[in-house]
Amino acid sequence: MLKDWSDVYLIGVPEIDQQHQGFFVASHRLYEGILDRDGKAAVGPAIAFMREYAEEHFQTEEAFMREHDYPGIKDHLRQHVAFFKRLDELENDLMIFGPSQDLADRALDITQDWLIDHIADEDMLYALHVKAGVA
Ligand SMILES: [Fe+2]
């Protein structure tokens, strides 16, 4: 089942929350494309968005973690690298085999399973660390 945006994903940093919400919109757009049996057309733009999103968003997060001396930054950045690896695979397959329904399904899996879990678990951890420091 498709995960919808919910306030449980709010980490309390407006700029980052806004980026996370934009990501849900893109994930839903891809899902709608797949439902319309149009995943083949939707997957190229979705992958391009994921690249642009990840580069900008991860930089924002990294700067935030450094600014607040987050001790878990190394593990967190390792996860961002792992995401880029999966994205590289999608881009390679798109380039070699072209867009397909199967590729759209795989891209959706990554947006739904990997990134949303990452927001709920890992991003929440650095936010809690900063909040604890402020309190
Ligand atoms: Fe992150």
Side-chain angles (χ1 to χ4, degrees):
M1 180 128 115
L2 193 70
K3 289 172 191 156
D4 276 316
W5 170 261
S6 139
D7 285 353
V8 301
Y9 298 117
L10 283 174
I11 68 164
V13 182
E15 187 185 9
I16 293 176
D17 283 330
Q18 216 171 27
Q19 291 174 348
H20 285 160
Q21 284 178 29
F23 168 72
F24 272 78
V25 171
S27 179
H28 278 246
R29 203 184 304 131
L30 177 59
Y31 178 71
E32 296 298 329
I34 290 172
L35 275 192
D36 294 345
R37 308 302 292 151
D38 204 14
K40 202 173 161 180
V43 69
I47 290 175
F49 174 87
M50 282 160 73
R51 166 66 61 185
E52 208 180 308
Y53 165 87
E55 277 175 3
E56 187 194 339
H57 175 63
F58 289 170
Q59 266 179 30
T60 306
E61 283 193 349
E62 189 175 334
F64 182 82
M65 287 186 276
R66 287 193 199 287
E67 191 187 323
H68 295 278
D69 291 326
Y70 175 53
I73 188 168
K74 268 195 184 157
D75 284 339
H76 198 114
L77 294 188
R78 228 173 264 134
Q79 295 208 11
H80 288 178
V81 170
F83 175 80
F84 277 130
K85 238 176 137 183
R86 296 187 70 172
L87 191 54
D88 288 346
E89 281 168 21
L90 290 181
E91 285 173 342
N92 277 341
D93 287 355
L94 178 65
M95 211 162 60
I96 296 167
F97 304 110
S100 66
Q101 190 67 39
D102 173 62
L103 195 64
D105 291 337
R106 282 169 50 206
L108 186 67
D109 275 352
I110 292 176
T111 66
Q112 284 287 302
D113 294 337
W114 195 94
L115 267 174
I116 293 178
D117 285 352
H118 179 79
I119 293 170
D121 300 334
E122 304 300 326
D123 293 346
M124 202 58 83
L125 279 180
Y126 70 66
L128 288 174
H129 166 79
V130 171
K131 273 184 209 152
V134 167

